[in-house]
Amino acid sequence: MTEAAAVRTNLLGLEKPELEAFVTALGNKPFRARQLMSWLYKRCEGDFAAMTDLALDFRTQLSDVADVRTPEIISRYNSADGTCKWLLRADSTQAFEMVFIPEIDRGTLCISSQVGCALDCSFCSTAQQGFNRNLTTAEIVGQVWLANRELGFEPRGERRITNVVFMGMGEPLANFRNVVPAIRILLDDLGFDISRRRVTLSTSGLVPLMYRLAEEVNCALAVSLHAPDDALRNVLVPINRKHPIAELLEACWHYIDEKNGRSVTFEYVMLDGVNDQLEHARSLARLLKGKPAKLNLIPFNPFPGTDYCRSPMPVISRFRDELIQRGVLATIRRTRGDDINAACGQLAGRVNDRTRVRLGNKLSGALAS
Ligand code: SAH
């Protein structure tokens, strides 16, 4: 990066009021910020010279002091089922991933909020690499921007990305300061203009920050539950020792009341012989019955080095049926992108910690080159 580039302001990191302030500080009318946002987010244009309805002087000014900088693509993997995964570089050593999952009626982009993760959930591949750093707002927004450019538009001009989920690498609430502005830019009608029900933040349960989230932004909430009791959840999701299930659920219902939300989605990874017995389903039903809750059962996605196994499909189906019979809305998440290691919990940049690079890891080859 040249010195000039290092001091340029990356416009992808600015919320509307900040962009207005930036534009007015350059001596321009605030409405120029709106025009600029329209170029940036409606047309995904990153080249100031191409923004033809902006005054030439303004464009020149912008190219001196600003830029539109996204994470760099190291490699792209395309699954036979249409899922795509990108390995991205944040700077010279750090890598992280994002995944696009096309379905008939929507396209979901799964983005990362941190490089690595500090929370150490025992069944998650990202946890194995430890925590490297928070992504900036621009790097978070930049993923959506970049994926939109990569994927192009539908024949009728619609975007292929209709939904965004913070289910990639990292714990989004642990990077609250950068994630909240990024969500605002995703929801802003002059930004990506995605409806609040189509942007989902998934958390392992940082309870105090769930209350703060309810004050700051309005998006859909998913919570990684994974166990119906504290003894088991302490093992699977260690943050539970600090914020046990009863506290976590209180925070969920508060969020729904505050935000007039329909329901919280609870994620529940199906681990063979660990949390997949009918008694677990019954305890779950006692916790969630009559509450604004949906349960999403995720067949465990194995990764090299893990001791856990995926529950067999008939076990998962019985588990779901037991929940439904007991009045809890439960669905099974279809695993996508298996052939490119793009599924939940398999995302790992892997470049960072060379002592932990595993044999058989497809990504390490790409990174070595
Ligand atoms: N830190 C956030 C986002 C994590 S990824 C959170 O904890 O919610 C999104 C989901 O994938 C979480 O529910 C996470 O627990 C789950 N997950 C992690 N590893 C997995 C694996 N190996 N198989 C299936 N799901 C997994």
Side-chain angles (χ1 to χ4, degrees):
M1 203 188 295
T2 65
E3 224 171 278
V7 295
R8 285 196 185 119
T9 300
N10 187 353
L11 299 185
L12 295 179
L14 302 185
E15 291 182 53
K16 187 166 45 197
E18 292 166 340
L19 193 65
E20 273 168 4
F22 183 78
V23 161
T24 47
L26 293 176
N28 296 280
K29 295 259 163 36
F31 80 90
R32 292 285 177 210
R34 294 173 164 262
Q35 277 182 308
L36 194 50
M37 282 186 89
S38 167
W39 279 105
L40 285 176
Y41 296 110
K42 302 284 180 268
R43 294 185 242 195
C44 281
E45 182 55 68
D47 176 4
F48 300 126
M51 301 182 180
T52 43
D53 64 357
L54 301 183
L56 194 55
D57 291 355
F58 182 38
R59 282 187 261 160
T60 314
Q61 262 182 330
L62 285 173
S63 46
D64 287 342
V65 296
D67 62 8
V68 179
R69 217 174 327 130
T70 66
E72 188 191 327
I73 298 175
I74 300 173
S75 42
R76 173 175 169 162
Y77 305 85
N78 298 313
S79 164
D81 70 12
T83 301
C84 308
K85 177 170 84 169
W86 292 265
L87 183 65
L88 303 173
R89 200 197 311 266
D91 49 48
S92 57
T93 55
Q94 321 263 329
F96 59 99
E97 298 183 320
M98 68 173 177
V99 175
F100 176 70
I101 307 142
E103 287 171 279
I104 290 168
D105 56 344
R106 65 186 153 176
T108 303
L109 186 71
C110 177
I111 59 173
S112 294
S113 55
Q114 300 182 311
V115 184
C117 188
L119 288 182
D120 213 22
C121 297
S122 59
F123 53 86
C124 179
S125 160
T126 305
Q128 309 266 317
Q129 77 177 65
F131 175 70
N132 290 280
R133 73 166 172 88
N134 284 329
L135 292 175
T136 63
T137 299
E139 286 165 341
I140 298 168
V141 171
Q143 291 172 68
V144 184
W145 198 86
L146 188 63
N148 264 308
R149 293 266 292 211
E150 282 273 296
L151 294 164
F153 292 85
E154 297 285 8
R156 284 195 321 212
E158 290 120 1
R159 289 216 177 95
R160 293 189 62 204
I161 298 168
T162 59
N163 294 48
V164 175
V165 296
F166 284 80
M167 294 184 189
M169 292 168 71
E171 166 51 51
L173 290 185
N175 184 13
F176 195 89
R177 202 163 53 98
N178 296 333
V179 164
V180 165
I183 293 177
R184 291 210 187 97
I185 295 168
L186 297 182
L187 301 182
D188 195 318
D189 52 4
L190 291 174
F192 285 107
D193 196 17
I194 307 177
S195 106
R196 66 191 179 85
R197 295 194 202 286
R198 291 173 177 268
V199 174
T200 304
L201 181 142
S202 177
T203 180
S204 56
L206 301 188
V207 168
L209 291 168
M210 291 168 71
Y211 285 98
R212 272 190 63 201
L213 187 73
E215 285 167 22
E216 297 266 344
V217 86
N218 195 354
C219 63
L221 182 67
V223 171
S224 294
L225 188 57
H226 304 315
D229 60 78
D230 286 325
L232 184 53
R233 194 164 188 272
N234 285 345
V235 176
L236 300 178
V237 186
I239 192 73
N240 194 71
R241 292 186 206 134
K242 208 162 170 195
H243 305 296
I245 293 176
E247 262 185 41
L248 173 63
L249 294 182
E250 273 309 306
C252 291
W253 314 142
H254 171 83
Y255 188 85
I256 292 299
D257 285 349
E258 196 73 9
K259 291 300 167 194
N260 201 12
R262 285 186 193 149
S263 60
V264 176
T265 300
F266 290 96
E267 293 151 293
Y268 194 95
V269 61
M270 296 298 290
L271 302 167
D272 188 22
V274 175
N275 64 352
D276 63 351
Q277 305 299 301
L278 286 181
E279 62 190 89
H280 295 120
R282 292 181 194 125
S283 309
L284 270 181
R286 281 194 291 277
L287 285 181
L288 300 181
K289 189 170 180 214
K291 301 293 191 188
K294 280 193 282 200
L295 205 67
N296 201 208
L297 306 175
I298 315 175
F300 172 64
N301 293 304
F303 49 90
T306 181
D307 292 332
Y308 292 112
C309 297
R310 180 183 290 186
S311 307
M313 220 38 213
V315 171
I316 303 181
S317 303
R318 277 204 60 200
F319 198 91
R320 176 203 50 201
D321 295 345
E322 184 72 20
L323 284 159
I324 291 174
Q325 248 175 34
R326 287 168 187 267
V328 176
L329 210 62
T331 50
I332 301 172
R333 188 179 291 174
R334 201 150 59 93
T335 292
R336 301 284 303 269
D338 253 351
D339 51 341
I340 54 167
N341 284 344
C344 284
Q346 291 184 326
L347 302 188
R350 291 277 160 82
V351 240
N352 320 309
D353 184 349
R354 293 186 188 280
T355 57
R356 288 201 188 161
V357 169
R358 295 200 172 106
L359 286 176
N361 172 13
K362 291 182 194 166
L363 300 180
S364 51
L367 287 160
S369 59

